[in-house]
Amino acid sequence: MSEQPQPIIQREESLRQAYNTVQQMSLGKREAEVKLALKALLVIRGSIRLPETPEARRKTLQRLYPAIAKYVRASEAKTLGELVNEVIGALSPDWSFVSHKALGDPVEDIYREDENSSEALRILKEETVPLVILMKKIYQSFIAPEEAIEEE
């Protein structure tokens, strides 16, 4: 189990890999919309830095993903960008916010506001838990594999 957070450069590369994985996923007939929803969740989770002490990290991990789902569902946002901003704002009093350069690509996709955006927002709000679980799998595969170990 790693007790040190990833160095910034390594974390940036891991975030890029996670973004590319979302881009390459095959997700059925609503693929474009689900990918946008996953990118929004990736930006939210990627912006939150966990505490450095193992005990504080463990406690935070127990609350973080349910809190993301809770704030997404409770949001009255009209756009994906607004939703991301609202959820990060709701989470940031408890957790440290960090804006990684690698999160720029998914943010750019979220703010594009194309024909898939409103449907992605609807899917994200209606199918929050499965999407958070899928984002968590992606996040823990690339960015923070030690999270999965800490949760066990």
Side-chain angles (χ1 to χ4, degrees):
M1 174 172 63
S2 169
E3 294 188 14
Q4 297 296 321
Q6 279 187 327
I8 297 295
I9 294 171
Q10 182 182 355
R11 187 170 172 85
E12 290 282 341
E13 183 55 36
S14 298
L15 284 165
R16 279 187 192 76
Q17 289 175 341
Y19 173 77
N20 290 334
T21 296
V22 170
Q23 287 289 91
Q24 296 169 5
M25 293 176 91
S26 177
L27 298 167
K29 65 181 181 178
R30 300 183 303 172
E31 183 171 318
E33 296 89 349
V34 173
K35 285 180 180 181
L36 272 175
L38 285 171
K39 290 173 189 177
L41 290 171
L42 182 63
V43 170
I44 292 166
R45 176 59 190 96
S47 298
I48 302 299
R49 184 186 334 218
L50 296 178
E52 293 188 26
T53 64
E55 182 61 23
R57 287 174 68 85
R58 187 184 62 73
K59 285 182 180 179
T60 298
L61 283 171
Q62 289 174 344
R63 298 182 353 240
L64 180 58
Y65 293 100
I68 290 171
K70 171 184 147 184
Y71 290 120
V72 166
R73 279 196 173 155
S75 174
E76 295 293 328
K78 304 288 187 238
T79 66
L80 284 172
E82 186 181 342
L83 175 93
V84 168
N85 187 55
E86 191 175 305
V87 174
I88 290 173
L91 291 172
S92 61
D94 294 330
W95 295 293
S96 297
F97 170 75
V98 60
S99 57
H100 291 283
K101 182 179 176 184
L103 293 174
D105 291 333
V107 167
E108 186 177 326
D109 293 342
I110 291 165
Y111 277 99
R112 192 167 292 131
E113 289 298 318
D114 60 17
E115 65 277 356
N116 300 319
S117 297
S118 60
E119 182 64 11
L121 180 63
R122 187 189 65 73
I123 290 169
L124 184 54
K125 294 187 89 172
E126 290 179 4
E127 301 175 28
T128 309
V129 173
L131 287 169
V132 168
I133 290 169
L134 183 54
M135 179 275 299
K136 181 179 178 181
K137 176 185 175 188
I138 294 165
Y139 192 86
Q140 290 180 343
S141 295
F142 292 100
I143 298 141
E146 73 275 4
E147 277 189 13
I149 295 167
E150 289 177 12
E151 285 182 334
E152 295 173 3

